[in-house]
């Protein structure tokens, strides 16, 4: 049985900053302070650094430029200095699949040859990018495909920001000089709901989101970003204080017994402890509610009694409940609840005064729906028996 794992170490951080092949620093993912330091270390005079930082930042994150020599408001010498010391590198897109419903899934290669998946979901007047925070996940939730992948490492801030940038590349969404800005963004929202537990890689996730939110660059508002956690209690408050984004919690059960089997991290921080942390969440208000994600598993957590218990547990927390019909994957030990069950459950929550939308599965035909992500090329797989054992089946 896999216990709730400890946070994994950050040793990959250095891999991406200074690329071993070239000795050059990748600009992508550096915070403003880090980039400032790096520009000084590369020879930028202190009295120029504020201006240079602003210029480089804008080229990279507002215009989406990748070529230092095309940074036309910089002196030629300075462009050469940049090119000699830095690179602007994104993770490599290995494959791109487009679903019948327009959902796009990118398989992306990061340092060390590992792969993660990124999903773009177009919606009416907006679009959401679902990004990954780790290769695989240490938390073996029994209904989640990612949780069956053995290999895990944290993504660097650059690899997280890079996912947003490569999606903007593919959508053709960088501004073009001399052309008016479109009124609506194609990539208007970000959810940290891909592979991995973002709160086990908090510092990198925070730095990446600060880059993405920065007003002089990609400039996505903090309320357009939602971080989903399985319930890593000690880190929850930092979402509000250090990022300011919205919070979603993978709740999925109304008793500790069932939640222990579905979300093993519950053995470390049980339902009562998790709810205490949510009640104390610094960002909580009626306009910024916590989303409770609840996967609908036939015969496991989908009864009317469950719905009533859930309402009781939510008492006093500004919340909405997002019901996710289970998305199947090869070898999954569960089935999706029937439509009737899901609607009956939603009605009970709704009648108690909480929004209870049922999430429409998107991109199922390309295995891009919630919980289906796992790099297909990942060889180290858990067996069906291991998954079932961990699920307590
Ligand atoms: N690790 C984070 C974020 C990634 S998962 C977390 O667990 O919150 C995003 C959401 O999809 C979570 O609520 C997760 O529980 C849910 N999910 C995982 N597998 C699923 C599946 N097979 N079907 C439907 N939802 C699933
Ligand atoms: Fe990890 Fe989230 Fe999947 Fe659980 S549901 S295994 S925390 S990615």
């Amino acid at each position: 049985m896999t216990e709730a794992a400890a946070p994994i170490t950050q040793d990959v951080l250095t891999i991406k900053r200074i690329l071993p092949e070239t000795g050059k620093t990748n600009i992508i993912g550096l915070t403003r302070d880090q980039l400032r330091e790096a520009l000084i270390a590369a020879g930028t005079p202190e009295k120029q650094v504020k201006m240079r930082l602003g210029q480089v930042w804008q080229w990279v994150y507002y215009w989406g430029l990748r070529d230092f020599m095309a940074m036309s408001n910089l002196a030629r010498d300075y462009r050469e200095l940049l090119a000699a010391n830095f690179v602007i590198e994104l993770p490599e897109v290995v494959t791109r699949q487009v679903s019948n419903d327009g959902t796009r899934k990118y398989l992306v290669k990061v340092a060390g040859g590992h792969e993660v998946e990124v999903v773009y979901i177009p919606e009416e007047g907006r679009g959401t990018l679902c990004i990954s925070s780790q290769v695989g996940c240490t938390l073996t939730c029994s209904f989640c495909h990612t949780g069956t992948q053995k290999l895990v490492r944290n993504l660097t801030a650059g690899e997280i920001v890079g996912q947003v940038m490569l999606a903007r590349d593919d959508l053709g969404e960088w501004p073009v000089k001399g052309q008016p800005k479109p009124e609506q963004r194609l990539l208007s929202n970000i959810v940290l709901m891909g592979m991995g537990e973002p709160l086990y890689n908090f510092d990198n996730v925070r730095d990446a989101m600060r880059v993405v939110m920065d007003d002089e660059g990609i400039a996505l508002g903090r309320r357009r970003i939602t971080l989903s956690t399985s319930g890593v209690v000690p880190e929850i408050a930092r979402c509000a204080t250090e990022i300011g984004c919205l919070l979603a919690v993978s709740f999925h059960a109304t008793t500790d017994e069932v939640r222990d089997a579905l979300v093993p991290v519950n053995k470390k921080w049980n339902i009562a402890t998790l709810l205490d942390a949510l009640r104390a969440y610094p960002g909580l208000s009626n306009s910024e509610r916590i989303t409770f994600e609840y996967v609908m598993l036939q015969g496991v957590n989908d009864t009317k009694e469950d719905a009533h218990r859930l309402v009781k547990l939510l008492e006093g927390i500004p919340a909405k409940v997002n019901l996710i019909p289970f998305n199947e994957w090869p070898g999954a030990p569960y089935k999706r609840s029937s439509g009737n069950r899901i609607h009956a459950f939603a009605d009970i929550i709704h009648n108690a005064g909480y929004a209870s939308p049922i999430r429409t599965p998107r991109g199922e035909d390309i295995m891009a729906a919630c919980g289906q992500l796992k790099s297909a090329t990942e060889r180290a797989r858990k067996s069906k028996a291991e998954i079932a054992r961990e699920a307590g089946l």
Side-chain angles (χ1 to χ4, degrees):
M1 179 68 74
T2 308
E3 279 303 309
I8 54 180
T9 52
Q10 306 276 326
D11 56 340
V12 285
L13 208 73
T14 42
I15 297 179
K16 199 63 186 179
R17 292 246 171 93
I18 300 180
L19 300 159
E21 321 85 72
T22 58
K24 295 181 184 179
T25 301
N26 188 9
I27 285 186
I28 305 300
L30 298 183
T31 61
R32 273 184 178 268
D33 284 347
Q34 288 164 345
L35 181 55
R36 185 177 182 283
E37 291 311 310
L39 291 177
I40 292 171
T44 310
E46 289 254 9
K47 60 180 192 323
Q48 284 183 13
V49 77
K50 189 165 177 239
M51 177 182 70
R52 294 300 185 214
L53 174 63
Q55 288 168 323
V56 173
W57 192 274
Q58 246 196 9
W59 281 121
V60 174
Y61 292 117
Y62 182 80
W63 297 108
L65 203 69
R66 306 287 148 76
D67 175 7
F68 293 112
M69 298 321 279
M71 297 185 174
S72 52
N73 60 352
L74 303 180
R76 190 170 180 89
D77 290 1
Y78 194 68
R79 293 183 227 170
E80 277 164 5
L81 176 143
L82 290 175
N85 289 281
F86 297 99
V87 290
I88 305 170
E89 268 197 7
L90 305 188
E92 180 195 342
V93 178
V94 181
T95 58
R96 167 186 178 276
Q97 287 170 278
V98 183
S99 155
N100 296 332
D101 68 14
T103 300
R104 303 182 188 195
K105 182 169 87 169
Y106 310 95
L107 178 67
V108 167
K109 193 183 272 176
V110 294
H114 304 302
E115 288 167 346
V116 292
E117 291 180 327
V118 187
V119 178
Y120 173 72
I121 306 141
E123 294 149 298
E124 194 63 40
R126 53 180 255 163
T128 299
L129 191 71
C130 179
I131 62 178
S132 293
S133 55
Q134 298 182 307
V135 176
C137 184
T138 50
L139 298 175
T140 49
C141 300
S142 51
F143 53 90
C144 173
H145 204 200
T146 310
T148 70
Q149 182 172 320
K150 264 187 179 155
L151 192 71
V152 181
R153 85 153 165 84
N154 280 339
L155 294 181
T156 63
E159 289 163 346
I160 299 170
V161 174
Q163 296 172 52
V164 179
M165 297 179 77
L166 64 86
R168 295 194 94 198
D169 286 355
D170 187 45
L171 295 166
E173 202 174 29
W174 297 104
V176 180
K177 284 224 157 151
Q179 283 186 18
K181 254 174 126 176
E183 277 180 18
Q184 277 173 349
R185 287 194 190 219
L186 296 170
L187 197 172
S188 60
N189 293 68
I190 291 178
V191 291
L192 280 145
M193 294 188 186
M195 299 165 76
E197 167 51 60
L199 295 190
Y200 274 161
N201 187 16
F202 185 81
D203 291 358
N204 290 341
V205 166
R206 175 204 55 210
D207 288 352
M209 291 305 103
R210 285 185 180 169
V211 170
V212 166
M213 292 187 294
D214 190 290
D215 278 346
E216 283 165 42
I218 299 169
L220 270 185
R222 65 174 184 88
R223 292 166 73 164
R224 296 191 169 272
I225 300 173
T226 304
L227 183 151
S228 174
T229 179
S230 57
V232 180
V233 164
E235 305 292 322
I236 283 179
R238 296 178 74 192
C239 283
T241 55
E242 297 182 38
I243 307 177
C245 62
L246 302 182
L247 181 68
V249 176
S250 295
F251 208 64
H252 303 323
T254 59
T255 64
D256 280 322
E257 195 190 352
V258 176
R259 195 162 191 271
D260 280 351
L262 297 180
V263 187
V265 80
N266 194 66
K267 290 178 211 154
K268 199 158 184 177
W269 298 291
N270 65 14
I271 291 180
T273 313
L274 175 58
L275 289 173
D276 281 348
L278 298 180
R279 279 195 201 93
Y281 187 63
L284 203 54
S285 72
N286 267 328
S287 62
E288 294 186 28
R289 295 175 213 179
I290 294 175
T291 300
F292 283 69
E293 294 161 286
Y294 198 97
V295 63
M296 298 299 293
L297 304 169
Q298 189 178 82
V300 176
N301 63 357
D302 62 350
T303 63
K304 290 184 176 169
E305 290 71 40
D306 277 304
H308 288 297
R309 265 198 301 271
L310 182 57
V311 167
K312 273 227 159 61
L313 292 171
L314 293 181
E315 233 167 54
I317 304 178
K320 80 172 199 184
V321 179
N322 212 328
L323 299 173
I324 317 175
F326 175 59
N327 295 310
E328 298 197 1
W329 38 270
Y334 300 105
K335 293 231 164 326
R336 179 181 291 182
S337 305
S338 70
N340 284 346
R341 271 279 163 109
I342 299 177
H343 283 285
F345 198 99
D347 286 347
I348 292 169
I349 310 286
H350 180 79
N351 292 339
Y354 297 95
S356 56
I358 300 169
R359 197 181 286 174
T360 316
R362 299 289 303 265
E364 276 183 299
D365 53 333
I366 55 168
M367 288 282 286
C370 297
Q372 292 186 320
L373 303 184
K374 169 171 165 174
S375 65
T377 49
E378 181 51 61
R379 295 275 178 262
R381 290 157 199 271
K382 284 185 187 148
S383 65
K384 270 191 194 177
E386 274 178 290
I387 298 165
R389 203 167 44 245
E390 280 165 7
L393 299 174

